[in-house]
Amino acid sequence: MSASSLRSFEYLERLPGTTFRRLYQQPSTALAIFRRMLPHLAKCFVMAMLYVHEPFPTADLESWVKPESKREKQQALSLLYRLHIVTVNSDLGQPQSLSLTNPFAQSLRLALTGGGKQHSFGVPSSTPEKQRVESNFLDVFARSQWESILHYMVGSTGVGSQSGAKGPSPGVRKLLELGRLVETKGGRPEITQAGFAFLLQEVNAQVWTVLVLYLENAEGLNMDPVEVLSFLFMLGSLELDQDYSVAALTPTQKHMLDDLLDFGIIYRRDSASKSFYPTRLATTLTSDSGAFRSVSGGFDTAMRSAENKGFIVIETNYRVYAYTSSPLQIAVLALFTKLMARYPNMVSGRITRQSIRRAIAMGITSDQIISYLSTHAHPQMRKALPVLPPTVVDQIRLWQIEGERMKATEGFLFKEFINLDDYLGPCNYAEEIGVLVWKSDNKRMFFVTRHEQIAAYLRSRGKKAAAAVGSR
């Protein structure tokens, strides 16, 4: 699952089942979740059951999957359960079977075959505009709006932006603070560890991170989160260069247009305009980041072009040379490098203990710094392995270790099992579905990152044990 899919999935997983039932009433939502968040094996399971009206025996699924792929099968089914796409039928005396939930199945069938009057995929404007907006203009607008957010985060607002914008709107700034991507200190924004991790993501993942923050604060703005999320999924199904009618939107969705304009996700001439245009940031919301990157002239290409993709040279004496004129890239580099000279197409500096410690004090980790340097290493450096000098990599990590001795992992501890069999069952199951972090067979304890599926497993074991006792 890509980073953008993971971020949106984490938000969806927290939603109750009643919210999913409302979401799945829209074919565009069902299709977006099917395309974006399900691995290939889970998609195969869904398509196998989509046009079958009887419950699907789990024994048939077992025959589809190789024995050595048992873990992948469990992970696929676990994902379908958590997204409320599949339910388990386990009546006494009947073999266990699976069924697709409604309205997900009905909406996905409508999305694939057409039909219905939900206007789930937008309503093209019936009134042609005198001067149509071209995709090149939409790309420039989206890039300008999004870059203004990134410039604000790294403290270089207004520098080198194509539109001359002075920074994001007050609402966007507040959202970045609520998401702890930046902190205001001394009246100036300062990037956090989460903010630097945000900068390392692909543009599509960055957009979803901001949109999830927007969703989490929707209720405080008197907006229905279900309508907000449905509209975002709908935007991912729209076409670039096509204008869409505002009249077909709900009051909540009309209110969202001004906010999405600030993000560069949609373009609208003015607040009285009867139509809006989705930008490339919108039309790629439910596509893979790889496809997003390959679109000719696309936004991600503009943001991370070939000349900016690999522009950093690092020497074993910790000197850094960055062949770029991008104010944004220079500002990011200055977060953990002591810059010493600047030329029209290059900056030079040095990685020092003080510069790394300053970055760590802001919450940026050594792994994030190394990841950034590796991702943007000059093609000349990529001819050798390892790409970065080992002495530099080791020293960056050592400078962080000076102040950190422990690493915390959030999760849940299961303990106090009566016997070894009671312990081994859920422990092995946790390992199969990929949530196990640590275990101790001697102490009969194990630590997991998620507990919902383990709890369901323990409940099902309890029911089976009670049924076995009752049948004696």
Side-chain angles (χ1 to χ4, degrees):
M1 188 181 293
S2 66
S4 52
S5 297
L6 183 62
R7 188 73 177 91
S8 49
F9 171 73
E10 288 174 349
Y11 173 80
L12 286 173
E13 193 180 21
R14 301 196 299 267
L15 300 178
T18 52
T19 301
F20 276 97
R21 283 193 286 274
R22 288 184 59 197
L23 279 173
Y24 291 153
Q25 289 175 2
Q26 296 295 327
S28 59
T29 300
L31 181 62
I33 290 178
F34 175 81
R35 289 174 53 198
R36 183 69 175 160
M37 299 184 184
L38 300 186
H40 294 303
L41 189 57
K43 289 179 181 178
C44 289
F45 293 162
V46 171
M47 292 306 297
M49 294 182 277
L50 187 59
Y51 293 98
V52 176
H53 299 291
E54 298 297 327
F56 200 87
T58 55
D60 289 357
L61 288 183
E62 295 285 348
S63 64
W64 286 16
V65 181
K66 296 179 180 179
E68 61 269 21
S69 301
K70 184 178 179 181
R71 179 173 180 175
E72 287 78 3
K73 185 203 76 172
Q74 291 289 356
Q75 289 176 339
L77 290 176
S78 173
L79 189 62
L80 293 173
Y81 298 147
R82 283 142 60 191
L83 289 174
H84 296 266
I85 293 175
V86 165
T87 57
V88 181
N89 307 308
S90 54
D91 297 331
L92 289 176
Q94 298 292 332
Q96 191 179 69
S97 59
L98 303 174
S99 300
L100 290 180
T101 59
N102 270 317
F104 177 85
Q106 181 180 359
S107 293
L108 184 58
R109 284 193 290 265
L110 282 174
L112 295 176
T113 60
K117 299 180 180 180
Q118 297 93 342
H119 296 155
S120 182
F121 294 94
V123 178
S125 179
S126 58
T127 306
E129 292 193 340
K130 295 180 180 178
Q131 185 177 2
R132 288 191 57 81
V133 177
E134 300 296 333
S135 60
N136 289 338
F137 172 84
L138 293 175
D139 285 342
V140 171
F141 171 77
R143 183 172 63 251
S144 174
Q145 293 293 96
W146 197 253
E147 278 190 340
S148 72
I149 296 175
L150 301 183
H151 277 293
Y152 173 76
M153 291 179 62
V154 298
S156 60
T157 300
V159 179
S161 98
Q162 293 183 7
S163 63
K166 295 183 179 180
S169 66
V172 175
R173 298 184 188 191
K174 183 65 175 176
L175 194 64
L176 295 176
E177 290 185 18
L178 289 173
R180 298 183 179 179
L181 299 179
V182 296
E183 293 178 352
T184 303
K185 295 182 180 179
R188 290 180 57 84
E190 189 171 286
I191 196 167
T192 64
Q193 177 182 343
F196 195 78
F198 174 86
L199 289 179
L200 295 179
Q201 296 174 342
E202 295 291 345
V203 176
N204 193 280
Q206 291 177 347
V207 173
W208 265 114
T209 298
V210 171
L211 290 180
V212 169
L213 292 176
Y214 185 75
L215 280 162
E216 290 172 342
N217 293 276
E219 290 190 42
L221 301 173
N222 297 320
M223 294 192 296
D224 184 357
V226 175
E227 287 195 22
V228 173
L229 192 54
S230 296
F231 188 46
L232 295 179
F233 283 131
M234 185 193 81
L235 287 174
S237 66
L238 302 184
E239 295 182 17
L240 197 66
D241 288 341
Q242 174 66 56
D243 55 329
Y244 291 86
S245 172
V246 173
L249 304 180
T250 66
T252 294
Q253 294 168 348
K254 290 178 182 177
H255 177 74
M256 289 176 61
L257 291 178
D258 290 336
D259 298 324
L260 297 178
L261 183 73
D262 291 336
F263 299 142
I265 292 175
I266 64 104
Y267 172 75
R268 199 177 178 194
R269 293 186 188 277
D270 54 63
S271 58
S273 178
K274 296 181 180 180
S275 62
F276 70 94
Y277 290 83
T279 69
R280 206 177 299 274
L281 289 180
T283 57
T284 54
L285 279 174
T286 56
S287 66
D288 293 330
S289 58
F292 188 29
R293 198 164 42 243
S294 65
V295 176
S296 176
F299 175 70
D300 196 53
T301 305
M303 284 288 293
R304 303 176 188 271
S305 57
E307 62 268 22
N308 285 334
K309 188 69 176 177
F311 60 93
I312 297 175
V313 174
I314 307 174
E315 297 179 341
T316 54
N317 59 4
Y318 306 101
R319 288 193 175 274
V320 177
Y321 303 91
Y323 294 89
T324 179
S325 57
S326 166
L328 179 60
Q329 298 287 15
I330 294 171
V332 173
L333 199 62
L335 294 174
F336 56 86
T337 305
K338 181 182 179 181
L339 298 182
M340 304 173 70
R342 181 167 181 174
Y343 304 97
N345 64 340
M346 186 191 80
V347 293
S348 65
R350 187 182 181 92
I351 293 177
T352 66
R353 181 179 182 274
Q354 289 75 19
S355 66
I356 296 297
R357 295 295 295 168
R358 183 181 70 246
I360 291 171
M362 288 190 290
I364 301 171
T365 67
S366 60
D367 287 339
Q368 289 176 329
I369 295 171
I370 293 166
S371 174
Y372 179 84
L373 294 173
S374 300
T375 302
H376 297 281
H378 194 279
Q380 199 68 25
M381 294 194 66
R382 295 184 180 278
K383 294 180 179 180
L385 290 176
V387 176
L388 302 180
T391 53
V392 176
V393 172
D394 292 342
Q395 189 59 64
I396 291 174
R397 288 200 170 106
L398 286 172
W399 281 329
Q400 177 174 355
I401 290 174
E402 287 179 2
E404 296 182 4
R405 302 297 180 187
M406 297 179 63
K407 180 180 179 181
T409 300
E410 293 185 4
F412 306 88
L413 179 66
F414 286 79
K415 60 181 182 177
E416 297 181 2
F417 291 93
I418 297 174
N419 54 55
L420 188 61
D421 289 338
D422 288 347
Y423 157 78
L424 289 175
C427 182
N428 293 335
Y429 179 70
E431 190 169 10
E432 286 179 3
I433 63 176
V435 298
L436 183 69
V437 177
W438 170 86
K439 67 177 180 178
S440 173
D441 294 340
N442 292 332
K443 296 180 180 180
R444 297 176 188 170
M445 300 166 60
F446 64 92
F447 186 82
V448 296
T449 54
R450 298 186 180 279
H451 68 89
E452 296 86 359
Q453 293 300 112
I454 308 299
Y457 175 83
L458 291 172
R459 285 195 297 269
S460 66
R461 280 190 54 166
K463 290 179 181 179
K464 291 179 181 178
V469 171
S471 62
R472 290 178 183 173

